[in-house]
Amino acid sequence: LKQFFIGFVIFYSLVIISNYFMLYFKEQGLDTTSENQKFINQLLNSGPINFFLLLISTTVLGPIVEELVYRKAAFNLIKNKYAALIISSFVFGIIHALSTEGSFALKLFISIPYITSGFGFGLVYLRSNKNIFVPIAIHAFSNFISIVMSYYFFTLAF
């Protein structure tokens, strides 16, 4: 439980920094929303069944699969923990932005919040002595918060 709370603070500190960075560019007129996020926003408005399926896939299935692939497998394949942290964070981020239209540079730019999240999950994984359940729990909880907040802001508040 202690690892979860410490990891949660580390993770969200990085996310807040990343979001302020992206907000600056959004204020400059650049669309910083990934296709991944646009799809989630669309599902939020498409009925209770889709909302439930979205909630299950983003708070249960996604975190388990992604943490097993991007942390457990990557850190087992790449023996240098710092290289594994950087590579797994980058791959995690770019995968989330690949469906975005535009140049590779734009995709890379839009993947910054995801890379930052991947880095946070990787730090938590290392800090918890490679206990995969800690980043899975933080990933699931952060996705849950994101979905509930998005649902509130995109469907109830407007």
Side-chain angles (χ1 to χ4, degrees), residues 27-158:
E27 289 172 351
Q28 305 306 312
L30 182 63
D31 183 8
T32 59
T33 307
S34 70
E35 290 301 316
N36 182 52
Q37 186 61 49
K38 288 176 185 175
F39 181 69
I40 289 170
N41 294 347
Q42 182 182 2
L43 287 177
L44 289 171
N45 292 315
S46 61
I49 293 174
N50 284 340
F51 176 75
F52 177 74
L53 293 173
L54 177 67
L55 198 60
I56 295 300
S57 66
T58 58
T59 62
V60 178
L61 301 175
I64 291 170
V65 171
E66 289 179 346
E67 294 309 313
L68 288 174
V69 170
Y70 297 110
R71 258 51 74 192
K72 189 74 170 169
F75 280 79
N76 283 340
L77 288 172
I78 304 167
K79 297 305 174 195
N80 181 302
K81 67 182 179 181
Y82 301 110
L85 179 61
I86 299 298
I87 292 168
S88 68
S89 301
F90 178 79
V91 173
F92 178 81
I94 202 69
I95 288 292
H96 282 83
L98 275 180
S99 62
T100 302
E101 295 289 325
S103 67
F104 181 75
L106 178 64
K107 292 176 186 191
L108 185 59
F109 178 75
I110 287 177
S111 71
I112 289 172
Y114 298 105
I115 293 170
T116 305
S117 294
F119 190 81
F121 294 137
L123 284 177
V124 168
Y125 180 63
L126 290 174
R127 193 171 191 312
S128 66
N129 296 316
K130 296 186 176 182
N131 179 349
I132 195 64
F133 296 107
V134 177
I136 287 173
I138 293 170
H139 194 156
F141 188 63
S142 68
N143 282 3
F144 177 78
I145 291 171
S146 294
I147 293 298
V148 169
M149 295 295 286
S150 293
Y151 180 75
Y152 175 75
F153 286 114
F154 289 108
T155 60
L156 299 177
F158 299 107

